[in-house]
Amino acid sequence: MILSKKILFQKNKEYHFFNLLIFVAILFLIFYLKTNIISIKCPYSEIGMKCKTCGLTTSFRKIINNDFSDLNFGFLLLFIAFLSQLIIRPLVSFILLFSEKPTLIRNVDIALSIFLFGFAYAELI
C-alpha cells in the first residue's frame, strides 16, 4: 500500500509541484499586498492608458486590509477565486495521493479552476 502511494506521488509529481508553485505564488501575493515593501506600477497607467484590471492591486490590498469601500464586485470575485486556490491546491494534491483515477481528478480540477477564474474575470469585461 505504501509503495503504491509512492508510485502515485511519483506519477503526479509535476502536478504536485505545480500546485505548490500556485500556492506559494498566492501566499507571496498576499504577503506583498499586506506589506508595503515595494510598489509595482501598472505599465498601462505609466503611458496614460486604462485597462480592464486597473485598480486590481489596490482593490486586493483594500480587501486584505478589511476596507470594502468603493469596491468593484468583479475584483471581489477575482480575489475570492485566488483565495480559494489556497484551499484547492493542497486539497487536490492530497486527493491525488489516494486516487485510483488521477487523470480524472486532474481534468476536473483544471476544468473547475478555468470555470472559476473565467466566471470571476467575466465580471471585469
Side-chain angles (χ1 to χ4, degrees):
M1 185 73 164
I2 294 174
L3 182 60
S4 65
K5 288 179 192 174
K6 189 174 183 179
I7 291 170
L8 281 175
F9 182 75
Q10 290 297 323
K11 286 184 179 180
N12 296 303
K13 68 180 178 181
E14 292 86 5
Y15 203 75
H16 293 296
F17 183 68
F18 174 76
N19 283 343
L20 179 66
L21 285 178
I22 297 297
F23 185 82
V24 169
I26 293 172
L27 282 179
F28 179 76
L29 172 70
I30 291 171
F31 175 74
Y32 163 73
L33 294 172
K34 193 68 178 162
T35 62
N36 289 321
I37 295 173
I38 56 173
S39 180
I40 299 172
K41 295 189 183 219
C42 176
Y44 289 103
S45 67
E46 291 293 312
I47 59 174
M49 294 177 62
K50 189 163 180 123
C51 65
K52 296 283 184 189
T53 60
C54 273
L56 186 63
T57 306
T58 306
S59 293
F60 277 19
R61 185 170 281 137
K62 282 183 172 184
I63 293 169
I64 287 175
N65 292 318
N66 295 327
D67 179 12
F68 297 97
S69 61
D70 300 325
L71 190 62
N72 183 336
F73 182 67
F75 292 157
L76 182 61
L77 280 179
L78 200 55
F79 181 79
I80 291 169
F82 274 104
L83 198 59
S84 71
Q85 294 301 304
L86 287 176
I87 298 167
I88 293 171
R89 296 298 104 221
L91 184 63
V92 168
S93 283
F94 182 75
I95 291 170
L96 278 174
L97 288 176
F98 301 101
S99 174
E100 300 281 326
K101 299 179 181 180
T103 305
L104 176 66
I105 300 297
R106 286 192 313 260
N107 290 342
V108 168
D109 175 42
I110 292 167
L112 286 175
S113 292
I114 289 172
F115 174 77
L116 180 67
F117 279 97
F119 179 74
Y121 191 72
E123 290 292 321
L124 299 177
I125 298 177

